Amino acid sequence: MSRTLLLISRRPEDQAFAQAVAVTAEMSLRVVAEPREAAALIAQEDISAILADTSTAEQYQALEVAIQEAVGLFSDRINANAFHFLRSDDLEKVQYLVQSPLFGHFILRNYGDPAAAGENYGRVVRATLAERAFGLAGLIRDGTKVQVVKLSNSNQTQQAVEAVKNYLIAAKFQTRLATVVANAVDELLMNAIFDAPIDSLGKAILSATPRSTPIDLAHQHEVEMHVAYDGKYVAVTACDLFGSLDKVKLMSHISKIYTEEEYKVRTSVAGAGIGLATVFRSGGSFFFVSESRVRTEVTVFFQRTDNFREFKDQFRFISTQFYF
C-alpha cells in the first residue's frame, strides 16, 4: 500500500525537495498550494507525512485554522509526528511553531541542492513511518557500516569523543570541523548519562551531579554511542534506556537559548537542550526519538564540507518522534 506525502507550498525549491523526499521514503507525492485544500485531503485521505511552508506566522495560522475546521486539531487523523514545517530563517523566530500542537519537525530551507537535501531528509521521513524510528542504520545511506560503542563508565566519554574526532580526521574532515562534531557528541553523551536518568516518579536523579563525577553505566544506566559515515554525512547517536525525554521541555530549552541566551551554553543549568542549540547553529541536524520509560536515541548529523562557512550554513533540521 503506497503512503502519501503531502506538500503545502507554491515554491519550486520545496517541490524539488519534496519530490526527492518522496522517492527516498518510497511515497507518492501530492502538492497543494492552499491550507484549506490540504485540510480537505487530510480529512478525506490517509496522509502519512506533511511538508508545510510556514514561512510566516500567517501561513501557519491559516494551516491551523483550516485543520481545526476540517477535522479538529486533536482528531485521531492528526499526528504531530507527521508534520514537517519548512522555513527560510532560524529557530529563534518561530515560537508559534515550537508551541504548536502540530509541531513535529522543523526544516531550515537552506537546501543548497534541494534534491540532495531531500534524499538525506527522506531517510528521516522513512524512519518516522516505521513502527518505531529507532536505529541509526535507517538514517544513513543504505549499506553504511554502523559502529557501536558501549560505555561502562562515564569516565570513558572523553575517550569515545576523541575516537570520533580522530575517525573524522582520518576521513579527511578538517580538524576544526571534526572538533565541532566531537563537541556535539560530547553534549549528547553527557545528556544521556546525566540528564536522562529518572526515578519511578519521573524525577531526574543525576541532573545536578557534576559531570566530572564517575558514573557506573550498568543495567538501566547503560549508554551506547553509534557512529556511521557514508562518505557525505557523519551521524552519531547517543542511546539511553530511560525514555525520559520531554518534547515540550526539549523545545523550550532550545528556543529559550536562541531567543534569550544568544546561543551561550549555561553550564549552571542542567537539562537536555542547553548545548544543543549551539550544535544546531554550528551546522548540526537532530533526530530525537523517544519511547516513554523505554528508550531515547538522539542522533546528530553533519555533512562533510570543504570549509567552515559551508559547514556552518549546511542544510539543517530538527526532527522529533515521541511514543507513549
Side-chain angles (χ1 to χ4, degrees):
M1 179 178 173
S2 176
R3 291 186 169 113
T4 299
L5 172 66
L6 175 63
L7 171 67
I8 312 167
S9 177
R10 297 177 180 272
R11 295 175 177 242
E13 66 270 34
D14 289 348
Q15 294 177 20
F17 173 75
Q19 182 60 52
V21 170
V23 170
T24 301
E26 301 178 320
M27 306 175 74
S28 60
L29 177 64
R30 297 283 297 272
V31 180
V32 300
E34 299 297 334
R36 289 189 180 278
E37 187 178 357
L41 285 174
I42 293 169
Q44 298 168 7
E45 302 181 19
D46 289 329
I47 304 296
S48 300
I50 300 157
L51 297 173
D53 180 5
T54 52
S55 296
T56 66
E58 289 75 20
Q59 284 177 300
Y60 168 73
Q61 289 163 0
L63 176 63
E64 183 179 289
V65 168
I67 291 175
Q68 174 62 37
E69 292 178 348
V71 294
L73 292 175
F74 303 101
S75 163
D76 58 5
R77 299 191 68 83
I78 299 299
N79 181 353
N81 286 339
F83 282 84
H84 305 252
F85 293 141
L86 304 168
R87 279 192 65 94
S88 297
D89 48 13
D90 239 323
L91 194 61
E92 71 237 39
K93 298 180 180 179
V94 290
Q95 284 297 308
Y96 60 89
L97 292 186
V98 172
Q99 297 168 2
S100 165
L102 301 176
F103 181 85
H105 315 267
F106 171 78
I107 301 170
L108 185 61
R109 193 193 279 115
N110 54 339
Y111 299 133
D113 178 351
E119 178 188 355
N120 175 36
Y121 194 70
R123 289 188 282 269
V124 172
V125 173
R126 183 176 60 190
T128 67
L129 300 177
E131 183 177 350
R132 290 290 185 269
F134 295 114
L136 179 54
L139 302 175
I140 205 79
R141 189 165 296 173
D142 291 347
T144 303
K145 181 180 179 180
V146 176
Q147 302 183 50
V148 178
V149 178
K150 295 184 178 182
L151 280 65
S152 60
N153 191 282
S154 60
N155 285 340
Q156 295 176 326
T157 301
Q158 191 57 43
Q159 181 181 353
V161 170
E162 285 296 320
V164 171
K165 179 179 177 180
N166 292 336
Y167 171 74
L168 295 178
I169 291 173
K172 308 303 181 183
F173 276 68
Q174 294 181 8
T175 300
R176 182 182 183 186
L177 306 185
T179 299
V180 172
V181 178
N183 288 340
V185 173
D186 182 68
E187 179 70 21
L188 263 58
L189 292 176
M190 288 292 99
N191 286 342
I193 294 169
F194 290 95
D195 295 325
I198 56 174
D199 62 19
S200 60
L201 298 178
K203 182 179 179 181
I205 57 179
L206 293 175
S207 61
T209 302
R211 292 193 168 191
S212 58
T213 305
I215 302 294
D216 184 30
L217 303 179
H219 308 297
Q220 193 176 7
H221 285 264
E222 179 180 298
V223 170
E224 290 185 356
M225 178 181 74
H226 300 178
V227 184
Y229 175 54
D230 66 5
K232 186 175 182 180
Y233 286 93
V234 59
V236 183
T237 303
C239 313
D240 73 73
L241 300 179
F242 283 92
S244 60
L245 193 63
D246 182 279
K247 180 178 178 179
V248 174
K249 290 181 180 178
L250 171 69
M251 297 312 301
S252 175
H253 276 307
I254 293 177
S255 61
K256 182 178 181 181
I257 293 166
Y258 268 77
T259 57
E260 298 178 12
E261 301 300 326
E262 297 179 339
Y263 311 105
K264 294 179 183 179
V265 179
R266 291 171 57 189
T267 57
S268 62
V269 180
I274 295 300
L276 300 184
T278 303
V279 174
F280 183 68
R281 188 176 183 238
S282 299
S285 293
F286 288 107
F287 188 34
F288 300 92
V289 186
S290 188
E291 183 171 2
S292 182
R293 301 292 182 135
V294 176
R295 184 178 183 88
T296 295
E297 294 185 0
V298 181
T299 302
V300 64
F301 304 83
F302 287 96
Q303 183 178 356
R304 181 187 175 278
T305 62
D306 293 329
N307 58 67
F308 186 74
R309 178 178 292 275
E310 291 179 358
F311 187 83
K312 185 177 178 181
D313 294 337
Q314 65 183 266
F315 169 67
R316 285 177 283 153
F317 58 85
I318 294 177
S319 293
T320 66
Q321 198 77 4
F322 286 81
Y323 307 104
F324 301 96

